[in-house]
Amino acid sequence: MHIHAYEKLWLALSIVLILALIGTVTYGAVGPGVAMVADTQQTVDSGALDEDERFSEPRVEQVGENEYEAYVVAYQFAFEPSPIVVPANSTVTLHVTSRDVIHGFEVVGTNANTMIVPGEVSEITVETDEPAEYGIVCNEYCGAGHHVMEGKLHVVSQSEFENRGGDSA
Amino acid sequence: MGQNETAHAGAEDVGGGEEFDPIGTLTLIGIYFAILVLAWVYIYYVEFLGRDLVVVG
């Protein structure tokens, strides 16, 4: 069979594109460590979050050298705690759940974005850089007040975080 | 007509040279390829990985 030289060229290019696409995603997972929101978390009783040791008191706590866990509860029509205050240059794992309906949790302008399903805990780990203030919006229609449902994520310097005292840590 | 085509194709195969030379198509495909690669590098490496709070777990 005769195949034109140009045709061989663009067939080869299309294969290069496919390989590069797979390579990009592989690089993302191996290099920067980009991960998906998994469903490995234990379920919770969304009707009894105030009896749950993690969510009865939404908060940020230190769990390691430079590691923090944030327990966030979403409800119609707010997020708690608000603001969520975390230190700069640290690793923060956000555990987010809902006590009523499905909500969304999107830290505006960033890659931190997940659905919040009642009874499920959405866990996302992010690395913070410099101090910054981000808005959080609910991006799943959750009722009449959906459009006003917002939160805040404040990334503050380590010293400022410590100065806030033990209230959030 | 049919005979001509057969003869033509035979001559091309023997010669190995390319008489049909769609350089315009090749150029277009080259441009599309470049646009795809640039757009993709921009979307993934600049817009996606360059944003804050990359989810790592």
Side-chain angles (χ1 to χ4, degrees):
Chain A
M1 186 177 68
H2 176 72
I3 301 176
H4 195 286
Y6 291 175
E7 190 130 21
K8 285 181 188 162
L9 179 63
W10 59 64
L11 279 171
L13 287 180
S14 62
I15 291 167
V16 167
L17 270 182
I18 294 168
L19 292 178
L21 178 59
I22 296 170
T24 306
V25 176
T26 308
Y27 164 77
V30 174
V34 174
M36 299 294 115
V37 179
D39 61 351
T40 50
Q41 286 272 314
Q42 293 259 313
T43 55
V44 292
D45 181 356
S46 61
L49 285 185
D50 33 344
E51 291 159 29
D52 188 281
E53 59 172 29
R54 292 182 298 174
F55 294 104
S56 58
E57 203 184 313
R59 66 196 180 277
V60 177
E61 63 183 32
Q62 184 163 11
V63 291
E65 173 81 21
N66 205 15
E67 291 173 27
Y68 299 82
E69 307 253 321
Y71 298 101
V72 181
V73 175
Y75 56 91
Q76 289 169 319
F77 297 98
F79 298 94
E80 229 182 284
S82 189
I84 302 167
V85 180
V86 295
N89 303 307
S90 63
T91 303
V92 179
T93 301
L94 296 147
H95 302 261
V96 195
T97 194
S98 164
R99 70 174 181 229
D100 38 42
V101 301
I102 291 176
H103 296 283
F105 181 88
E106 178 182 352
V107 184
V108 178
T110 74
N111 290 346
N113 184 356
T114 182
M115 254 177 116
I116 317 172
V117 181
E120 302 276 343
V121 179
S122 302
E123 183 192 314
I124 50 178
T125 301
V126 297
E127 279 163 1
T128 60
D129 301 319
E130 298 302 305
E133 290 191 6
Y134 299 101
I136 299 170
V137 294
C138 171
N139 57 15
E140 297 277 346
Y141 182 71
C142 59
H146 169 66
H147 61 289
V148 297
M149 181 166 172
E150 60 169 353
K152 292 264 184 259
L153 175 68
H154 290 180
V155 179
V156 299
S157 64
Q158 290 276 357
S159 56
E160 191 180 331
F161 183 78
E162 280 154 24
N163 287 341
R164 289 178 63 88
D167 62 88
S168 59
Chain B
M1 191 69 181
Q3 282 177 345
N4 280 348
E5 279 184 359
T6 311
H8 188 84
E12 193 182 354
D13 280 349
V14 171
E18 305 285 4
E19 286 184 25
F20 178 55
D21 191 24
I23 191 71
T25 307
L26 181 68
T27 310
L28 266 183
I29 287 179
I31 294 169
Y32 293 159
F33 185 81
I35 292 173
L36 270 178
V37 170
L38 287 175
W40 171 9
V41 165
Y42 179 72
I43 290 168
Y44 194 84
Y45 293 94
V46 180
E47 282 203 312
F48 178 64
L49 290 185
R51 295 215 293 183
D52 292 343
L53 305 183
V54 171
V55 175
V56 293

